Amino acid sequence: MNEWPEGRSNDNRGNRYGRGSASAQPEGARVMRQVRRGEPSAPPYGAPQQGGGGYAGVPQQPAYGNGYDDGSGYDNGYDNGYNTGQVYGGGPGGGGPGGTRERGPRPAPNWRKRIKWTAIVVLSVLIVTSVSTYFWADSKLHRDVDLSKVIDRPAAGEGTNYLIVGSDSRKGMSDEEKKKLHTGSAEGQRTDSMMILHVGDNGDTLISLPRDSDVEIPSYQGSTSGKVYQGTGRHTKLNAAYAEDGPTLLVRTVEFNTGLHIDHYVEIGFAGFADIVDAVGGVTIDIDKGFTDKYSGANFKAGKQTLNGEEALAFVRTRHAFAASDLQRTKNQQKFLAALAHQVATPSTVLNPFKLYPTLGAGLDSLTVDKDMSLWDLASMFFAMKGVNGGDGTSMNMPVSGSTGGNLVWDKAKVKTLVDELKNDQKVTVTSD
């Protein structure tokens, strides 16, 4: 019995590749049987099984496509993909086994969206950092001066007036620090420098008040006792008012002798001043002429140089080395403050948290201010000083007409004109010459 299906006898195979064929040609694609999904395969071998759908010895195969058998023995739905080289066919999914679609090119990044979210994150960080820094700095201010205890005050004028004081307080300093900074061990405290800073719309003005200025001590209310002490017409040096009853009497004395209302009080001691200079990494200054002073420890050569905290304190305290004594010292103080303000405001300090926060900490820890002083007021004062010393305002000494008993006498006419201009926030025309 011939086991080959009709039309497929062994004798009709011809020259075909494989199955013992000597032909070098491969079998054509049309004789490679395909099995179609869901349809019974054409009977390649043997007799049909009972129940249909297959032949003896050959189990029914699972369907692979959705084509149909056109009677020629080929699965058109599957063969379409095979004959085009797409081994896994072109079903609905396409692109891989099981209909997995091949990935297309990655979409271009949405830079506008990325920039937007980056800006939001950066802005949020800046806001949180700024708010945290504000409350941290505000908590470090020593608001110990109560200006409400100052009696018989002149009326406030236009603009804002700050009384800035550098005291020789040695509070909290060890014997070693006193020796290093050449401060001595005098009891109590006095003022080595005093300045009035006027901040207004028509230009800022910084006026140094010589410590040896001849002033009258007026009636005042004791800062501790609350008792009112009547004035007797007594004259003394300006810094003696501070030594007698501290900041409130100093403010009262300045207001009485000038007629100018003081809005805020700021004080810094020896150690605090040196700490600020060291925290900022030193201050570069150009010294016109070298000088030495055994009292302050100053020993400077002419030329540009960077001063550390100890050297800076000696520079601003020296007066015995100059013929003009205290008047020359006030000029040096203004010059150094200009250099210090410039150094603090440089990007290398402001943008470097490892330098900025120690500088802020050292400065705020060492400041004593009035109870109404805010950080905004303090910032306004700082930038006004920076501007004045940088040439954007007026910097001068209180006009002096002569001296009496070693005390410097103010020029009353010039002082009156100066105070009137400041009260009305006018451009200052008075000079200290």
Side-chain angles (χ1 to χ4, degrees), residues 144-155 163 218-224 226-229 241 245-265 370-372:
D144 299 332
V145 179
D146 188 358
L147 294 183
S148 67
K149 294 182 179 180
V150 180
I151 62 174
D152 299 332
R153 309 191 67 185
L163 180 60
S219 300
Y220 69 93
Q221 180 179 328
S223 58
T224 302
K227 178 181 177 181
V228 175
Y229 297 90
D245 198 42
T248 54
L249 178 55
L250 178 62
V251 171
R252 168 71 175 132
T253 302
V254 170
E255 289 186 342
F256 178 82
N257 285 270
T258 63
L260 187 67
H261 181 89
I262 300 298
D263 298 290
H264 291 294
Y265 178 90
D370 64 272
K371 293 185 180 297
D372 295 327

Side-chain angles (χ1 to χ4, degrees), residues 304-331:
K304 184 175 291 187
Q305 50 206 285
T306 300
L307 309 185
N308 60 26
E310 177 185 349
E311 294 165 337
L313 187 59
F315 180 80
V316 299
R317 290 183 61 218
T318 298
R319 66 190 179 102
H320 295 285
F322 311 121
S325 187
D326 205 35
L327 293 176
Q328 180 61 44
R329 175 166 66 172
T330 58
K331 292 180 181 179

